[in-house]
């Protein structure tokens, strides 16, 4: 029972931190998650853990679908269109990696995911510095 109470308290904290996070912070949490899950998926492929590989690759994909849905191409213009192409490419390569359980495709995609994460982190820091 005590464990459950702790778990609920933690979930409440987690949900509140998400509720109070700005849109920018949420985006950073998403891209950080994508980098983490993609690496866990890659490791699971190496470990021949098909279920874990599938779950983590799907989590990574879902983050990119979410990023695609929330990206305002009309407002962002050419920059946003290019970003959408990167997101789309990553999502499609993740599908290939998941179907084939192919570590080489993960090796191709993970640096791209890390680039996306680093780009958003830099943009966020710059935006905070300018305010």
């Amino acid at each position: 029972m005590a464990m459950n109470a702790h778990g609920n308290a933690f979930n409440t904290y987690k949900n509140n931190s998400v509720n109070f996070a700005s849109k920018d912070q949420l985006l950073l949490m998403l891209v950080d998650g994508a980098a983490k899950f993609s690496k866990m998926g890659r490791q699971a492929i190496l470990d021949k853990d098909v279920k874990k590989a599938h779950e983590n690759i799907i989590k990574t994909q879902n983050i990119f679908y979410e990023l695609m849905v929330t990206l305002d191409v009309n407002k962002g213009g050419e920059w946003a269109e290019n970003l959408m192409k990167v997101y789309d490419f990553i999502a499609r390569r993740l599908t290939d990696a998941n179907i084939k359980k192919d570590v080489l495709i993960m090796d191709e995609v993970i640096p791209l995911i890390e680039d996306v994460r680093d780009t958003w982190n830099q943009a966020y820091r710059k935006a905070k510095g300018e305010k």
Side-chain angles (χ1 to χ4, degrees), residues 17-58:
S17 66
V18 167
N19 290 341
F20 294 127
S22 70
K23 199 176 160 207
D24 295 339
Q25 285 169 313
L26 282 177
L27 195 122
L28 293 183
M29 288 160 76
L30 281 174
V31 293
D32 277 344
K36 189 179 79 185
F37 296 137
S38 61
K39 286 180 190 149
M40 288 164 71
R42 180 190 182 279
Q43 187 57 48
I45 292 171
L46 290 176
D47 297 341
K48 303 273 189 279
D49 186 337
V50 173
K51 186 173 178 285
K52 191 174 176 190
H54 175 76
E55 284 169 2
N56 281 289
I57 293 171
I58 292 293

Side-chain angles (χ1 to χ4, degrees), residues 24-120:
D24 295 339
Q25 285 169 313
L26 282 177
L27 195 122
L28 293 183
M29 288 160 76
L30 281 174
V31 293
D32 277 344
K36 189 179 79 185
F37 296 137
S38 61
K39 286 180 190 149
M40 288 164 71
R42 180 190 182 279
Q43 187 57 48
I45 292 171
L46 290 176
D47 297 341
K48 303 273 189 279
D49 186 337
V50 173
K51 186 173 178 285
K52 191 174 176 190
H54 175 76
E55 284 169 2
N56 281 289
I57 293 171
I58 292 293
K59 281 181 190 173
T60 311
Q61 259 180 304
N62 286 341
I63 289 171
F64 280 95
Y65 292 140
E66 180 65 25
L67 291 171
M68 288 162 85
V69 168
T70 55
L71 185 63
D72 190 341
V73 176
N74 295 328
K75 219 168 76 178
E78 195 182 336
W79 173 82
E81 281 175 32
N82 289 334
L83 198 55
M84 185 67 85
K85 285 178 191 155
V86 171
Y87 290 170
D88 184 55
F89 178 78
I90 290 171
R92 279 186 292 134
R93 292 305 279 158
L94 285 167
T95 302
D96 295 340
N98 200 11
I99 291 166
K100 299 172 182 163
K101 298 295 181 277
D102 188 336
V103 121
L104 294 176
I105 300 174
M106 294 305 288
D107 288 343
E108 171 196 339
V109 174
I110 288 170
L112 295 175
I113 294 172
E114 289 177 331
D115 278 350
V116 168
R117 181 197 59 199
D118 295 346
T119 301
W120 280 117

